[in-house]
């Protein structure tokens, strides 16, 4: 096997995602999993779950993960990479602990993990690492072998993640009427998080206003806007905005909200807007409801032409990027110094989350980091 196709020391890849309900009866139990420990009443969860009930109680995320799983397996096979790919979720079946249990029973002992979150933040990285630690502790308590898990680096600026989004923006611009196309604004959207979480995202040296979370999104937005300008000859105005806020009103979260931004653009005379969900790997509920339903309805109310560009999903270029990330990390674990693909100003992210990176809300062990109790 050539070095380019050698996954050693890894003997499996785990696709680790958030999970979502797959029917009306799943909605409240799913939300109970998501909010466990916060003391949120069932009636409030039913209110929150209305977004899911509008779509038959089904989140699209699990089907999208199945599609990505198939794309990864196809890419690996086509590239001659003999490595099994498993799938587990944090909050719904197939659960992470069950997936790891299956993996160790299949003899897997060194596992690379791809989280379906491209950016640094507590909820997008550290919380996945905490869930991995919980699952490993469960396996140990059951007397099963404890595998070593390594989380692959953040891929927000990998060409295989960025290029499909550039193409999505170009397609969305082409769908706009010609008389509004050149003046269209680009609204790059991502999940709003508490400003305190944003400010402490990434390694300690990157903490500050917005932290790594905002810096990484701005870098990707700039990459896409620059590419669109180079390929169309038009310099579209753009801004990073936020969506899907879910916290208490008195706690500051990142702003502006996408709907407020649409109102502001309309008031300023913008002829059209393309919403670009750079913070999301696939078209799951936050995209389906907050952008395709709520924000699109706001734009219609304003009489503002709007399009929503595609997320990366199971694009073959993203599947190839995952293979690249896996083989890059494998080479590094073998002691080599592999070339690391990254666009933009920030360069490739770290392999191992350092101490103080995206600090926890409460003291909890986290796997796959410098502070991990599991070597």
């Amino acid at each position: 096997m050539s070095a380019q196709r050698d996954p050693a020391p890894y003997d499996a890849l785990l696709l680790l995602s958030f999970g979502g309900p797959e029917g009306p009866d799943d909605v409240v139990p799913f939300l109970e999993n998501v909010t466990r420990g916060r003391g949120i009443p069932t009636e409030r969860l039913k209110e929150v779950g209305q977004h899911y009930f509008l779509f038959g109680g089904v989140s699209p995320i699990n089907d999208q993960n199945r599609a990505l799983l198939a794309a990864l397996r196809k890419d690996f096979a086509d590239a001659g990479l003999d490595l099994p790919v498993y799938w587990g979720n944090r909050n719904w079946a197939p659960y992470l602990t069950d997936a790891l249990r299956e993996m160790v029973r299949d003899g897997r002992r060194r596992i690379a993990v791809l989280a379906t979150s491209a950016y640094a933040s507590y909820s997008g990285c550290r919380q996945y690492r905490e869930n991995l630690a919980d699952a490993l502790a469960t396996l140990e308590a059951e007397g099963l072998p404890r595998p070593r898990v390594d989380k692959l680096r953040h891929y927000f600026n990998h060409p295989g993640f960025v290029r499909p989004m550039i193409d999505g923006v170009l397609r969305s611009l082409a769908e706009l009427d010609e008389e509004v196309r050149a003046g269209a604004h680009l609204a790059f959207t991502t999940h709003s998080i508490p400003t305190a979480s944003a400010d402490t995202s990434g390694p300690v040296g990157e903490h500050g206003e917005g932290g790594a979370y905002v810096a990484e999104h701005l870098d990707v937005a700039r990459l896409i806007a620059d590419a669109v300008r180079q390929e169309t000859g038009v310099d579209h105005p753009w801004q990073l905005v936020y969506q899907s806020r879910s916290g208490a009103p008195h706690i500051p979260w990142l702003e502006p909200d996408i709907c407020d931004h649409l109102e502001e653009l309309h008031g300023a005379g913008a002829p059209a807007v393309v919403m670009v969900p750079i913070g999301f790997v696939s078209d799951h509920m936050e995209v389906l409801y907050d952008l395709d339903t709520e924000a699109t309805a706001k734009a219609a109310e304003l009489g503002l032409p709007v399009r929503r560009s595609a997320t990366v999903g199971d694009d073959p270029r993203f599947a190839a990027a995952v293979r690249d990330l896996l083989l890059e990390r494998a080479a590094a674990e073998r002691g080599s110094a592999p070339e690391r693909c990254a666009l933009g100003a920030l360069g490739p992210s770290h392999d191992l989350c350092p101490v103080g990176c995206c600090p926890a809300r409460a003291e909890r062990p986290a796997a796959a980091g410098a502070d991990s109790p599991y070597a």
Side-chain angles (χ1 to χ4, degrees), residues 8 13 70 78 121 192 202 254:
L13 174 70
D78 290 349
S121 70
S192 184
L254 293 172

Side-chain angles (χ1 to χ4, degrees), residues 18 36 61 118 204 219 229 281 347 351:
F18 192 81
R36 181 168 287 116
I61 192 171
V204 172
D219 204 41
R229 183 185 68 251
V281 170
D351 279 341

